[in-house]
Amino acid sequence: MPAKTLFADQIALVTGAASGIGRALAWALARRGAEVVLADLHAEAAEAVAAAIRQAGGRAQAHALDVRDTAAVAAFVAGIAADKGRLDYLFNNAGIAVLGEWRDFAASDWQRILAVNLDGVMAGTAAAYAVMLRQGSGHIVNTASLAGLVPSPGLVAYAASKHAVVGLSTSLRAEAAQYGIRVSVVCPGFIDTPLFDSPALGLPPNNRFKARAQRIALAPEACAERVLAGVARNRAVIPVTDHAWLAWGLVRWAPGLVHALARWVARQLHRERTDAGR
């Protein structure tokens, strides 16, 4: 493990830590000297990551956690804080997606996405905030998405959940500052994670949208490095990837162009859906 840094000897809890951005964050934090608690629905996969971190000389432990269970999240976070004596960082990272036109979505798809992406973030944030209020310190880092900043056809439910996470995080940041608590929201563009394996309603499994996104996707390890750089600077919003920065800038300075591009993407998705149904 390299020399210790700002995160050295800090207690950091990462949800969705068995794969993708969560796994990369756990490794990046451990390399910086943090003691990492990995939480994931897939306990065996999370433990495999924690074991590899320990073998490399880091400090890590893994636990099973379903972020949809608000009571379980509250008890888990409180238990970690009690066991470790504090909680310095919470990375709310668990998330799911479904790709397809809104016309193909069922109410169950909506409810499942919001249960993980929004209710799960709310549960973790509320539990960590209670601990950090008592401490008078701490940093909550919620993973949203570029889809939480710009219109995202084909990802309507996902985008709704991520816009809500952005609003939750930036609003709580204003409240939390007076108590010594920091809140940041991460808005990655396309990252090469298992999210690309999400269901695609009305579209072929290897659809053109997914293929184009994967061509420009950033590696999770590079994403984690950029996230921690933004956290170290206490940035309110942390876009990740060049295309995320570009899109975030355009939606503020050229919103008409962004909406025109979104309509073009929507037409492409509809065309592919139509072709798949023939």
Side-chain angles (χ1 to χ4, degrees), residues 26-265:
W27 270 102
L29 286 161
R31 284 195 298 269
R32 287 163 169 79
E35 183 174 350
V36 187
V37 180
L38 295 83
D40 200 283
L41 186 62
H42 305 289
E44 290 185 6
E47 175 53 37
V49 178
I53 289 173
R54 291 193 298 269
Q55 187 173 11
R59 292 173 293 168
Q61 61 186 75
H63 300 268
L65 182 67
D66 185 346
V67 298
R68 297 171 297 181
D69 187 336
T70 302
V73 172
F76 177 72
V77 173
I80 292 297
D83 180 54
K84 304 298 182 182
R86 67 185 195 280
L87 177 63
D88 300 302
Y89 291 93
L90 168 67
F91 290 83
N92 265 319
N93 185 70
I96 60 173
V98 175
L99 174 65
E101 286 192 272
W102 179 247
R103 64 190 291 181
D104 295 318
F105 271 69
S108 57
D109 296 314
W110 170 269
Q111 291 159 359
R112 185 162 55 92
I113 289 170
L114 263 66
V116 176
N117 295 3
L118 181 55
D119 294 343
V121 169
M122 180 283 297
T125 298
Y129 196 61
V131 170
M132 292 174 183
L133 280 172
R134 293 194 296 271
Q135 296 175 171
S137 65
H139 200 148
I140 296 169
V141 184
N142 293 327
T143 299
S145 169
L146 174 58
L149 300 174
V150 303
S152 303
L155 291 166
V156 173
Y158 179 80
S161 70
K162 296 304 187 178
H163 270 80
V165 170
V166 172
L168 183 160
S169 304
T170 55
S171 300
L172 181 59
R173 179 182 174 90
E175 285 190 24
Q178 63 191 311
Y179 304 117
I181 302 170
R182 299 175 174 184
V183 182
S184 299
V185 62
V186 179
C187 296
F190 297 117
I191 309 297
D192 190 9
T193 73
L195 207 65
F196 278 117
D197 298 325
S198 301
L201 302 179
L203 296 169
N206 297 317
N207 56 81
R208 289 190 293 269
F209 178 88
K210 186 185 293 186
R212 288 167 181 159
Q214 285 181 303
R215 281 199 294 269
I216 63 171
L218 186 70
E221 294 75 17
C223 176
E225 292 298 320
R226 297 186 190 187
V227 169
L228 294 188
V231 170
R233 293 177 175 86
N234 189 28
R235 287 181 173 161
V237 179
I238 307 172
V240 179
T241 69
D242 294 341
H243 60 268
W245 277 102
L246 176 61
W248 191 40
L250 286 175
V251 80
R252 290 177 293 167
W253 304 112
L257 175 59
V258 172
H259 286 277
L261 288 170
R263 290 192 295 271
W264 178 83
V265 171

